[in-house]
Amino acid sequence: MQCRYCNAQMWYDERISKDKNCGSPRFSLCCGDGKVELPLLQNPPQYLQQLLFDDNTIDSKNYQHNLRAYNMMFAFTSVGIKLDKTINDSRGPLTIRIQGQPCHKIGNLLPMPGKKTQICTTIYL
């Protein structure tokens, strides 16, 4: 099923009114049944667009080949938070309470002079 306002793909059971069978259901999980309208995405900067869509350069081929590793690197950076351990005193999923502004901590993206670039895609917890 598709939302009539934002064209998001939705499951029929995600409709607002579940008590009736209707051919044109309304959804609120995506755009709030038309109440939220997000602007269209802007084009990426020229260099990034070239890396994403150009197949003719070594840089773009390397970027496209390693795109998943780059994404994982930024997705799994350390989150800078002050952890409050007093609220996890029971069984079940851990709860994290964050005070202040959370941030991602990541080291330098450029290697030290004379060192090779290394991309680590495995994180052991």
Side-chain angles (χ1 to χ4, degrees):
M1 308 275 341
Q2 236 179 4
C3 173
R4 68 179 88 180
Y5 297 105
C6 68
N7 296 321
Q9 296 293 322
M10 307 295 290
W11 295 104
Y12 182 72
D13 285 338
E14 293 176 316
R15 66 193 185 280
I16 294 173
S17 180
K18 298 197 188 326
D19 61 336
K20 47 186 159 181
N21 244 347
C22 63
S24 181
R26 295 171 37 218
F27 303 98
S28 64
L29 293 175
C30 47
C31 66
D33 197 30
K35 295 178 185 154
V36 176
E37 186 176 333
L38 297 175
L40 294 175
L41 292 175
Q42 296 179 3
N43 288 334
Q46 182 64 34
Y47 182 65
L48 182 57
Q49 189 164 347
Q50 185 178 1
L51 289 175
L52 287 168
F53 302 112
D54 187 8
D55 292 332
N56 299 327
T57 67
I58 293 172
D59 285 345
S60 62
K61 287 179 184 178
N62 181 45
Y63 183 79
Q64 292 168 15
H65 179 75
N66 294 302
L67 190 55
R68 181 171 289 197
Y70 296 141
N71 184 53
M72 289 189 304
M73 179 184 71
F74 286 114
F76 286 104
T77 56
S78 299
V79 179
I81 61 172
K82 181 179 178 183
L83 184 60
D84 181 357
K85 296 182 179 180
T86 62
I87 57 177
N88 286 318
D89 58 357
S90 64
R91 293 172 46 108
L94 294 177
T95 302
I96 297 176
R97 181 169 63 184
I98 300 173
Q99 293 177 319
Q101 181 177 358
C103 62
H104 286 277
K105 292 183 178 179
I106 188 169
N108 293 337
L109 295 177
L110 298 175
M112 298 298 287
K115 300 285 184 177
K116 290 185 178 181
T117 303
Q118 294 181 349
I119 298 176
C120 176
T121 59
T122 305
I123 297 176
Y124 297 97
L125 299 175

